Amino acid sequence: MKELYERFDMEIRSIADLAGCTALRERWLSRERGLVSTEFKRLGALPKEQRPEQGKQLNELKNYVETALYALQERLEQAEAQARLRQERVDVTLPGYPYALGKSHPLRLVREEIESILIRMGFSALYTPELESELYNFDALNFPKDHPAKDAQDSFYVGENLLLR
C-alpha cells in the first residue's frame, strides 16, 4: 500500500494542466483499467481473513486519490481561469467604437429628393422659418381683417400673433 501512495504522490506532482489531471484520474480511478480498481479485483485472491483489512486500506487509498485529484483539478481550473482573465483583459479607458445614432425620417428623405429634382429643373429653394408672425403671414400680403384664413380653425396659432406659415 505504501508503494501505491508514494507512486501516486510522485505522479500527481508532475501534473501541470487539466489534460494531465484527467489522464491521471483515468489511470488511477478508471473502472476497467484503473490501478485502484485492479487492486480491488485482486481482493478475491486473498485469504478471507485479510480481505476486510485490505479492502479498508484500498478504500482509504481510493478516497485519498479522489480527494487529491479533486483538489488538483480545482487548483488547475482556477489557474487557467486567472490566465484567461489576464489574456482577455479589456482596457475600459479606451474610447468606444462610434456608432450611427439614427436615420433620416422617410418623409424628410422624400422632401429632399423632391427638392433636388426641382433644383435640377431650375427652381431655387428658400429656407425660411416655419413659425411666422401674423404681420408677415397675412397683413403684408393684404389679407383683410375678416378673411376666413385668419380664423383659429383655419390657421394654427402658436402664440398671440405667432402661427405656422
Side-chain angles (χ1 to χ4, degrees):
M1 270 310 147
K2 187 176 180 185
E3 256 181 51
L4 288 174
Y5 278 100
E6 290 173 359
R7 183 175 168 191
F8 175 75
D9 288 338
M10 184 182 70
E11 287 183 20
I12 200 169
R13 278 188 236 118
S14 65
I15 302 300
D17 60 355
L18 284 173
C21 183
T22 304
L24 186 65
R25 180 181 306 279
E26 186 72 24
R27 187 170 41 251
W28 280 84
L29 297 175
S30 170
R31 288 182 183 229
E32 297 296 319
R33 290 172 272 142
L35 293 174
V36 175
S37 299
T38 305
E39 291 298 320
F40 271 113
K41 289 176 186 173
R42 291 184 187 166
L43 278 179
L46 292 177
K48 240 182 186 180
E49 309 81 43
Q50 294 178 356
R51 287 183 197 163
E53 182 61 32
Q54 190 71 15
K56 180 181 175 187
Q57 290 177 358
L58 282 175
N59 280 328
E60 289 173 359
L61 173 67
K62 181 180 176 186
N63 289 337
Y64 176 77
V65 169
E66 285 176 345
T67 305
L69 285 173
Y70 179 76
L72 175 66
Q73 182 177 354
E74 287 293 316
R75 206 171 47 243
L76 291 174
E77 285 174 353
Q78 287 178 356
E80 281 188 11
Q82 290 296 325
R84 192 171 48 251
L85 284 175
R86 280 191 300 274
Q87 183 182 15
E88 297 173 356
R89 185 174 41 194
V90 177
D91 186 2
V92 295
T93 62
L94 291 175
Y97 297 108
Y99 56 93
L101 294 177
K103 295 184 178 184
S104 295
H105 192 275
L107 293 178
R108 181 183 179 124
L109 294 174
V110 170
R111 178 181 164 197
E112 289 172 356
E113 184 178 350
I114 291 171
E115 284 178 4
S116 69
I117 291 170
L118 290 172
I119 289 172
R120 284 189 305 229
M121 292 174 66
F123 291 91
S124 60
L126 296 175
Y127 300 101
T128 59
E130 292 182 9
L131 291 177
E132 196 65 76
S133 70
E134 193 174 357
L135 172 73
Y136 292 118
N137 222 17
F138 296 121
D139 297 340
L141 297 174
N142 295 325
F143 277 77
K145 292 269 186 212
D146 59 344
H147 193 277
K150 288 185 166 187
D151 289 341
Q153 291 85 5
D154 293 331
S155 296
F156 190 76
Y157 285 88
V158 177
E160 190 168 317
N161 284 331
L162 198 62
L163 64 146
L164 289 178
R165 178 173 276 249

